[in-house]
Each structure stands twice: as structure tokens, then as C-alpha cells.
Amino acid sequence: MAEPEFTATGVRIGKRLRSLTRAGQVRISDGRLELLTSYGSEIDSAPLRAVRASRPWFAPEDRALADLDGNRYLLTLGQHDPAPGEPGPPAARRFIEAVRRAAGRGA
């Protein structure tokens, strides 16, 4: 198995008004985006060609939308990248760039 291209932990993952996990994981690896619970159980996954990532309108900087095969998830990542060696999720902007880069759509 290859090294993940992007990994974030401590991510709040929600679908519509329902929170699925408050400390989930987001991983881009082997051409797939995976949304996982804090225990490592899969919430959803899809090949990157079927994933769209964007920033929602009128939302704080720490939020990103991920559309996986028609299922839309609201991800709450960090507002700023954590300092090197510090825990915490990376910025939402970095997640969106990673999805676009991994899917070959440019950044």
C-alpha cells in the first residue's frame, strides 16, 4: 500500500444537519478519498474522479464540502495549518488543493 497523499485527523464530518463523527479522518490514497470515523470504520469512499471538493458559501474558513458520488459531506478542518509537530487537522484550503491535485485537475 502506498503512502497516503493527504491525511487529516480530528475532522468533524457531517451530512446535512447530522454529525457523523467529531474526530474523524480524511485520507487520500491510491486514487481514492476515504472518510473514516475516529475508530477507523469507513463512512464513505470514492475514486477521486467522482469527488468534488469546494468551500461552502458564507461559511467559516475551516469548512469544506466533499461530494462523493452524489453524497455531500461537510468537513470541519482547521482554520490554519498546525505548527510542525503539533496535532490538529490541516486547513480546509489544503484539503481542497490535495483533492484537485490528486485527481489531476490542478490546484
Side-chain angles (χ1 to χ4, degrees):
M1 185 187 234
E3 182 77 18
E5 299 165 30
F6 178 87
T7 302
T9 57
V11 178
R12 179 180 288 243
I13 302 172
K15 187 172 184 180
R16 298 193 186 250
L17 297 175
R18 189 172 139 223
S19 177
L20 301 174
T21 183
R22 290 186 287 163
Q25 301 173 37
V26 176
R27 186 175 10 190
I28 297 174
S29 179
D30 297 328
R32 292 187 69 79
L33 173 67
E34 298 175 309
L35 302 178
L36 308 168
T37 65
S38 56
Y39 299 109
S41 301
E42 184 176 293
I43 295 171
D44 201 352
S45 71
L48 284 168
R49 67 180 181 283
V51 173
R52 288 186 320 170
S54 61
R55 274 203 13 84
W57 289 15
F58 305 111
E61 291 281 323
D62 64 345
R63 305 255 164 84
L65 289 174
D67 194 333
L68 284 73
D69 279 332
N71 295 320
R72 183 170 286 184
Y73 297 93
L74 178 64
L75 309 176
T76 305
L77 295 114
Q79 285 188 338
H80 306 287
D81 287 328
E86 293 294 316
R93 175 186 44 78
R94 219 176 82 191
F95 164 71
I96 295 167
E97 290 171 359
V99 169
R100 292 179 180 161
R101 188 173 42 252
R105 293 181 230 149

